[in-house]
Each structure stands twice: as C-alpha cells, then as structure tokens.
Amino acid sequence: MWAKAPDKSVSPEEEIITEENVFDRPDETMGFFPKQVLYDLYVSTALLVACIALSYLSPAPLSEPANPATLDYVPRPEWFFFFYEQMLMFFPGYALISFGAVVIPTIFIVLLFALPWLDTSPHYAAFKRPFVTIIGVLVIVVVILNMMLSVSRIINFPGG
C-alpha cells in the first residue's frame, strides 16, 4: 500500500550542527510535570500570599451609600474607561462618537492581533525590525498617556 521511505536519520555522533538545524534537536529535555508544576505552584502561592497581605494591610476604602437626591455629584468613569471619555473630547458631536468609541479601538486591537503576521522578520534586534519597534513604542506611549490621564483625573477631582 504505502511505500516506506528509507530512513535518512543520522546518528548524533555524525550530525553536523549548522545555523539551520541547531534548534532541531535540543541537547537536553526537561519534563514538565514534577519540576515546572512545582515552580508554578510556588510562584502562584507567593502571589496569592502577597495579594492577601496587601489587602489586609491596605484595605479598600468604603464610602457612604449613593444618594440619588444630590445635585453636586459629578459622574466620572472608572480609570479603565478614561480613554473612552477622552475620545469624546477628540471626536465631539453625535455623529463622531461611534467613530471614536468603536472604530479607533477596533483598529488598535486588530493591529495588535495582526502584528505577528505583519512582521515575519527572523531577527530579534529591535533596530532590525522597525515596524514592530514603532508599533511597540506607540503602544507604550498610549499606555503611559492613559496612566497620566488617570492620575490627573484623580488629582483634579478628589473624592468624586
């Protein structure tokens, strides 16, 4: 039925290591189960203990219940929605709200998901991959600007 191909495997002593085949056969393998699972368990336990200690030492502040009859309350979004509120400033008007709230974030997310297929360079150096470097710098700038916006909102509108 099927013709068996001749075995062209080379013994490890006869194999010549080149740049193309250096990663084909690792010299030493390590099992996942006992060692790596224990490492993950140790780190997870340490993170859980750190979160419990931080929540005990610095509990979340609770404020008074909401009063629907007040007139001096200024509604503000949570920190993770500040960029949406900022989009309202960049794209004013009813017709542009959907562009700033849907189209721009969708383009940003699709670009991040498509990045592995847009840049197929085999190099690891950032200067040899200008497209990915520019996208990475833009992502970092957006995150830093959003953090600065959050801090400025918290400073300018305390307790609201």
Side-chain angles (χ1 to χ4, degrees), residues 2-159:
W2 292 95
K4 186 174 182 182
D7 189 18
K8 294 182 180 179
S9 64
V10 179
S11 68
E13 293 80 26
E14 298 172 7
E15 184 178 16
I16 298 172
I17 304 295
T18 62
E19 277 188 29
E20 290 81 25
N21 69 355
V22 70
F23 295 111
D24 288 347
R25 265 194 33 231
D27 295 331
E28 182 181 331
T29 60
M30 183 178 81
F32 177 78
F33 174 61
K35 198 170 185 179
Q36 186 64 39
V37 170
L38 284 176
Y39 287 162
D40 292 347
L41 180 69
Y42 296 151
V43 171
S44 301
T45 304
L47 288 175
L48 180 65
V49 167
C51 286
I52 290 172
L54 285 174
S55 67
Y56 180 74
L57 295 174
S58 177
L62 297 177
S63 59
E64 64 277 350
N67 183 5
T70 186
L71 297 175
D72 59 349
Y73 175 72
V74 179
R76 292 186 305 141
E78 290 292 331
W79 63 268
F80 43 84
F81 286 123
F82 279 163
F83 70 97
Y84 272 132
E85 187 182 28
Q86 194 69 23
M87 287 292 183
L88 291 175
M89 295 178 199
F90 292 142
F91 300 103
Y94 186 73
L96 294 176
I97 289 176
S98 62
F99 183 77
V102 176
V103 175
I104 298 291
T106 302
I107 289 172
F108 185 71
I109 291 171
V110 167
L111 182 65
L112 285 179
F113 275 116
L115 201 54
W117 291 279
L118 294 175
D119 180 60
T120 57
S121 173
H123 301 291
Y124 291 111
F127 293 114
K128 293 184 180 180
R129 305 174 72 173
F131 179 73
V132 176
T133 304
I134 290 171
I135 298 298
V137 168
L138 287 176
V139 168
I140 291 170
V141 165
V142 166
V143 168
I144 289 174
L145 287 176
N146 197 21
M147 289 170 49
M148 290 171 52
L149 179 65
S150 301
V151 169
S152 71
R153 294 289 174 97
I154 291 169
I155 290 172
N156 292 329
F157 301 105

